[in-house]
Amino acid sequence: MIQRTVHDFSDWREIARALRSAQVPPSEVQLLSNAEPTLFALDKTGFDVAPSTTNAFRVPKQFLSLAEQVAYHRDPTRWNLLYRVLWRLTTDERALLEVITDDDVYSLMQMEKAVRRDAHKMKAFVRFRELQQNGETHYIAWHRPDHAIVKKVAPFFARRFRGMNWTILTPDESVTWNQSELTYHAGTPRSAAPSSDELEDLWRTYYANIFNPARIKVKAMKAEMPVRHWATLPETEIIDDLLRDAPRRVQQMISSPEGYSQTASDYFPSADAPLTLATLAEAAKTCCACDLHCQATQVVFGQGPARAKVVIVGEQPGDQEDLAGMPFVGPAGQLLDRALAAAGLERQAIYVTNVVKHFKYESQGKRRLHKRPDAREMRACLPWFDAEWELLDAQVLLCLGASAATSLIAPDFRIQRQRGQWVVSRYCKRTLASWHPASILRLPTAELREARFAELLNDLRTAASGLRSDVVGD
Amino acid sequence: MDIHEKLAILADAAKYDASCASSGSNRTRRGAKIGSTEGMGICHSYTPDGRCVSLLKILLTNYCILDCRFCVNRISSDTPRARFSSDEVVRLTMEFYKRNYIEGLFLSSGIIQTPDYTMQELVRVAQTLREREQFGGYIHLKTIPGASQELVDQAGLFADRLSVNIELPTVADLQELAPEKKEPEIRAAMQTVQNRITEQRADSRRGLRAPKFAPAGQSTQMIVGATDTPDQAILQTADALYSHHRLRRVYYSAYSPIPHADAQLPGQSPPLVREHRLYQADWLLRFYGFQVDELVTTPQRNLDLSLDPKLAWALANRDWFPIDVNRASREELLRIPGIGARNVARILTIRKHRNLRSDDLKKLRVAWKRTQAFVITADHQPGLKLLDQERLSQKLVAGPQQLFLFDMEQSANSGEL
C-alpha cells in the first residue's frame, strides 16, 4: 500500500500523475488529506514512483475542472475517489463521466455541487462592515463557509469590488484586496471582526418593508438561507418580529378597505323602466354611493335638452347650485352665461352638468367653502355622467377645469398647457378643455381675470366651430 | 422626512412587483469600479415570504396620477406618500452594494406629471450610477408606457433590464380595473424595447461594436386573481408575449390583500397555489413543448389546483404511457410527470452508455412516486394495470401536495417539475 499526504489540488495532480504513470491501481493507494491526523506512520519506504513517458495518458478536460472543484470539498476521502475515477477513465471507461448515475461519478458530482452551492452562498452572504483605518476606508467581513473555498471565491470579490479595500475573514483562511492584488493569510475567529455598521439599521428597514406579510413561507426561506449562516446576516435579527406581527397586519388589510364599495351604477333606474335623462335624474336623488350625499342639500343633476349638440362639464355644484338644485347658476354660472353669449352659443341649447353631482364643502362659520372632490368620489360618481352621455347625441364635449379634464380626457391632462386644443377622448372625437369660470373669479386682479376670461371665450368659440364638420375634418 | 421613513414607504410600495431577477447580463460593463454582472444572479437574502432579495427594489416616488384599483399607490388610496431625490437613490444603492447586500437596483415609479417626466427621472438615476459612480452592478428600470422613444433609448443604454408591466391578463380586465392604462400603449412600449434589442444584436453580429442595449432583455408582470379571467386566457396572453415580444420572463403575481385596498376588490388571501400552477404551466409552454389548450383541463378553463399541470395532462392522456426511458425521443421524455428538462438531457446522455434502471432515475432525483406509473425502465414494467387504475389521480395527489410548500418558490425560479 502506498500512502501520500495531499495538500491541495496541484499536489494531488502531481501525485496522481506519477502514480498513474507507474500504473499503480487505486486499490494499492491511500491518499490522505493533510487536515486529517494519520493513525499510522507514513510508508516512506514504499516504492518511489518514477514518471514514465511510455505510460503517457490523457484525461478529458471536463475531469480536470471537476477535480479542481472537488478539491475544495472537506471530505477527506476525496483524493482517493478522484484517483479511482482517474484510473477508471484512463483504463477502459473513457466515457465514464457521462454516466452520472455511476456511484463514483455520482459522489464526485455531489461534492462538486456542494462546493458550487457553498461558493454561491459565500458570494451572497458575505456582509461587509465599513471601518476607517488610518484615514482609509476598509470593508471587512467575517463568514463561515462549509468548505475550504476562500481561494475559489476571492477572485470574484476582487472583480466585483475592484475599487474598494476589503478583507474577508473565515475560520480557516482570510483574504485581503488592496485594489491591486489578493493576499491570503490565516483564519480568524469571529470576535476579530468589526461588530456593527451604522448602515445595517437602514438595511433592516428595507428588509422589513419589502417583506409581504400576506405570503408566509418560512420553509422556503430557510431552504435558501440556511439558519447556520444567520449569525452573520444582520437582517435575520428581525425575522421573529416580522413573523409575529404578520397575521395582525393581514387581518387589518382585509378588514379595512378604502373607498366606496358602491358606485353610482348601483342606483340606476331598474332595467325594466325606460331610461331617459328624466328617469336618470330622478334615480340620482337616491344616490349614496359616496359620502357626499350626507352633507349636501340635494343632488344637482345635469340640465339641458336631450338633443343638445354641445355638452359642458364642470367639477361639482357650488353653494348656490346646491341650494337651487341646478348646475351653473351661481357667480361662476353667471360668468359662463356671459361668455356663452359673447361666443354666440345659446345656453338653452347646451347640456350642462358636473362630474360630481353633490356639493362638497368645508364649513367656516356660516360660510360653506368649496372643497375639491377626491379621486374616490369622482370615480363613484362618474357612472352618472357616462349614462348622461349615452343618452345624449352630442358632437362636442367641453370640460371646464382640471377635475373634469383629468377624469374625462386623461389623468395627465394639463389645463395650463393643453386648453383650447381639440383632443380625442373616450367619449367624443371633439373634446376640449378650458378654464373653469370659478377659477377666473378667484384670480386676484382684474387684469388677470380679463385675460383668462378672454381665453375661455376663445375656447368657447373653438367649441362652437366644432359643430361645423369642416373644422376638425371627419 | 428622513431617509428611513422614505425607504420604508417606497420599499413597501415596490414589493408587489414580483421580479427580483439579477441574471442575464453576461459581462461587466467596461470601466466599472464597483460592481459586476457575470450572468448568474445572486440572491443576497430571503424574507419570510420565501422571496429572494437580490436587488434594492424601490419606487422613486409613490405619488401617482393613475387610479388603478389593484394598486396600493393609486391616486385614491390613503397610503403615505414619499419621494426620493435621485441622489438619495444613488447613495442607497452604492452603500448597500459596497456592503454586499444587493446585486443592484430595481427602480420603478408612480407616474408623476407626465410619462416623459417620470421616465426622465428614472433615467437620471441610472445615468448617475453608471457615469459618476462607475457602477457596474445590475440595473433594472421600469419603462413607463407613453414615454418618448429617446428616453427609452437612453434607459436601455444604462440598464441591464427593462420591463413594462402588462398589469392584467386581458384588455377587458384592464378596462375594468385600470381604465387609464391603455393596452396599445403598453404593447408599443414593449415593441420599442424589443426593436432596439434586435437592432443591437444584429449590429454586433455584423461585427459592429454597438453599445449594449438592455443586455438582460425585458420582462413583464401580470396580476392574477383580481378579476375572474380564467387561466387559459392568462396563459394565452403569456404565450403571445413570449412569441411576439420575445420576453425573457412573464411574472404572475397573485392579487394579494394590500394595505389601503380598494373596497371594490374582494379582500382575500392571495391565490398562491394558482400562482404556482401558472408558473409551472409557463415553464411547460416554454421548455417542454406543451400548448396552452393541452394544459387547461378543467371545464372552467382553469388549471387543476390539486395536480401539477404536467401530471394533470398525463392523467388525461394515459394512452401516451408508459414511456420507455431507454428508447423514447426527447419530446416524449419531456412529457413524463416528475422528470424535468435537465434530467431529460441527462437521461439522453447516460443511455448512450448503459440502460437506465429505476435506481438510476431515483439517483437523478426524479420524483419517483409520480413517475413510476408512467415509465418503463430496464427493471421496471408497470404495464397498463397501474395506469388503468381509476384512483390513480387520488393516489398521486397526496404526494405533490406535500411537496408543495417546499418547492413552490423554487419552481418559480427553476421551473423544474
Side-chain angles (χ1 to χ4, degrees), chain B residues 9-296:
Chain B
I9 292 172
L10 294 168
D12 187 69
K15 71 171 148 227
Y16 300 100
D17 223 306
S19 167
C20 200
S22 54
S23 54
S25 267
N26 295 322
R27 229 174 316 154
T28 301
R29 278 161 200 265
R30 240 168 240 276
K33 262 182 86 178
I34 302 287
S36 58
T37 49
E38 303 188 355
M40 188 151 31
I42 298 173
C43 298
H44 287 267
S45 191
Y46 286 81
T47 37
D49 49 22
R51 281 184 165 171
C52 122
V53 181
S54 179
L55 302 172
L56 170 62
K57 181 160 55 174
I58 46 177
L59 299 192
L60 192 58
T61 176
N62 64 339
Y63 287 101
C64 189
I65 57 172
L66 300 183
D67 199 20
C68 308
R69 298 191 192 174
F70 54 81
C71 181
V72 60
N73 304 312
R74 66 189 184 287
I75 188 170
S76 63
S77 109
D78 285 340
T79 194
R81 309 277 170 171
R83 181 176 177 176
F84 277 130
S85 71
S86 64
D87 251 359
E88 283 171 328
V89 177
V90 168
R91 271 206 318 275
L92 267 180
T93 308
M94 291 309 294
E95 293 306 316
F96 278 5
Y97 196 91
K98 284 180 179 172
R99 286 158 180 80
N100 204 39
Y101 299 162
I102 52 170
E103 285 294 285
L105 172 69
F106 178 0
L107 188 62
S108 180
S109 181
I111 313 239
I112 35 174
Q113 297 189 22
T114 63
D116 267 354
Y117 176 80
T118 310
M119 192 74 218
Q120 212 159 12
E121 293 290 295
L122 296 180
V123 170
R124 193 207 312 277
V125 171
Q127 181 168 16
T128 310
L129 279 169
R130 295 292 189 220
E131 292 178 352
R132 194 183 77 199
E133 303 291 333
Q134 292 172 284
F135 178 65
Y138 196 89
I139 299 181
H140 178 163
L141 289 185
K142 202 80 327 175
T143 315
I144 309 294
S148 74
Q149 168 92 45
E150 294 79 64
L151 286 169
V152 177
D153 284 354
Q154 279 187 39
L157 294 179
F158 300 124
D160 293 277
R161 173 168 281 186
L162 296 177
S163 63
V164 189
N165 281 357
I166 192 101
E167 308 291 7
L168 292 162
T170 68
V171 177
D173 291 342
L174 211 55
Q175 261 160 8
E176 187 188 334
L177 295 184
E180 296 147 343
K181 288 219 166 170
K182 301 282 175 266
E183 201 252 5
E185 226 170 58
I186 296 172
R187 295 278 181 168
M190 277 182 187
Q191 191 63 45
T192 306
V193 175
Q194 186 197 338
N195 290 348
R196 281 289 178 270
I197 293 176
T198 318
E199 279 167 30
Q200 194 265 335
R201 301 257 155 91
D203 281 352
S204 60
R205 230 174 291 129
R206 261 183 268 129
L208 300 171
R209 286 251 308 259
K212 282 222 165 114
F213 190 90
Q218 67 171 326
S219 62
T220 194
Q221 161 171 306
M222 55 182 136
I223 289 170
V224 301
T227 59
D228 46 20
T229 299
D231 293 338
Q232 185 179 40
I234 294 170
L235 290 169
Q236 275 161 350
T237 300
D239 201 35
L241 288 168
Y242 284 124
S243 52
H244 297 161
H245 294 290
R246 308 260 169 81
L247 290 189
R248 286 284 176 91
R249 279 297 297 275
V250 173
Y251 291 92
Y252 307 91
S253 181
Y255 176 71
S256 174
I258 51 173
H260 312 283
D262 189 294
Q264 285 175 29
L265 286 175
Q268 56 174 4
S269 293
L272 293 182
V273 177
R274 183 175 180 202
E275 181 190 279
H276 174 58
R277 294 290 178 233
L278 282 167
Y279 276 117
Q280 291 181 315
D282 181 277
W283 240 268
L284 292 176
L285 294 178
R286 285 190 292 155
F287 304 116
Y288 291 76
F290 280 84
Q291 306 294 319
V292 173
D293 293 342
E294 289 181 297
L295 293 172
V296 183

Side-chain angles (χ1 to χ4, degrees), chain A residues 98 103 160 217 258 379, chain B residues 103 260 262 353 363 409:
Chain A
E98 296 195 347
D103 282 338
R160 170 155 290 196
K217 278 182 221 151
E258 284 177 4
R379 192 211 285 165
Chain B
E103 285 294 285
H260 312 283
D262 189 294
H353 307 287
K363 257 189 201 162
E409 288 296 317

Side-chain angles (χ1 to χ4, degrees), chain A residues 39-229:
Chain A
L39 298 174
F40 40 88
L42 286 181
D43 180 7
K44 292 276 185 200
T45 59
F47 79 48
D48 207 12
V49 280
S52 153
T53 44
T54 50
N55 289 319
F57 61 93
R58 295 184 66 82
V59 292
K61 232 197 213 141
Q62 190 203 347
F63 175 69
L64 277 183
S65 54
L66 176 67
E68 198 178 345
Q69 299 309 310
V70 168
Y72 294 114
H73 203 280
R74 285 202 202 275
D75 188 331
T77 67
R78 67 195 182 283
W79 305 122
N80 282 325
L81 176 62
L82 281 170
Y83 186 65
R84 191 159 65 237
V85 172
L86 171 72
W87 180 267
R88 291 177 64 193
L89 275 170
T90 51
T91 46
D92 52 358
E93 296 177 272
R94 278 215 62 91
L96 179 63
L97 291 184
E98 296 195 347
V99 188
I100 60 172
T101 51
D102 175 274
D103 282 338
D104 285 347
V105 178
Y106 185 73
S107 302
L108 283 185
M109 294 287 189
Q110 291 302 105
M111 286 188 205
E112 189 258 353
K113 195 172 158 189
V115 166
R116 190 164 15 100
R117 185 177 155 88
D118 193 34
H120 191 74
K121 292 300 176 200
M122 180 165 169
K123 291 174 187 174
F125 297 150
V126 156
R127 294 282 186 269
F128 286 115
R129 285 172 165 161
E130 194 188 76
L131 200 70
Q132 299 298 331
Q133 259 174 349
N134 317 322
E136 282 202 336
T137 308
H138 210 95
Y139 292 86
I140 298 176
W142 191 89
H143 178 76
R144 187 202 298 276
D146 296 339
H147 300 284
I149 54 168
V150 170
K151 286 206 175 69
K152 173 178 164 61
V153 184
F156 165 84
F157 282 100
R159 290 192 297 276
R160 170 155 290 196
F161 301 109
R162 196 161 66 87
M164 259 162 56
N165 300 313
W166 54 259
T167 296
I168 299 174
L169 309 166
T170 83
D172 302 312
E173 195 174 13
S174 305
V175 57
T176 294
W177 169 256
N178 62 0
Q179 304 197 36
S180 64
E181 61 179 351
L182 290 167
T183 42
Y184 296 91
H185 20 260
T188 327
R190 194 176 161 206
S191 53
S195 56
S196 69
D197 182 316
E198 267 182 24
L199 213 81
E200 286 172 3
D201 267 341
L202 205 52
W203 173 238
R204 277 187 287 264
T205 299
Y206 175 68
Y207 184 81
N209 284 284
I210 203 70
F211 159 61
N212 183 349
R215 318 169 54 117
I216 300 288
K217 278 182 221 151
V218 177
K219 234 168 150 183
M221 168 183 68
K222 287 184 176 168
E224 294 299 330
M225 188 166 72
V227 178
R228 65 179 180 281
H229 288 299

Side-chain angles (χ1 to χ4, degrees), chain B residues 385-402:
Chain B
K385 236 162 108 198
L386 203 49
L387 268 176
D388 280 345
Q389 280 179 29
E390 287 280 324
R391 292 183 54 251
L392 183 57
S393 64
Q394 284 103 302
K395 258 180 128 174
L396 291 172
V397 172
Q401 267 185 344
Q402 299 236 317

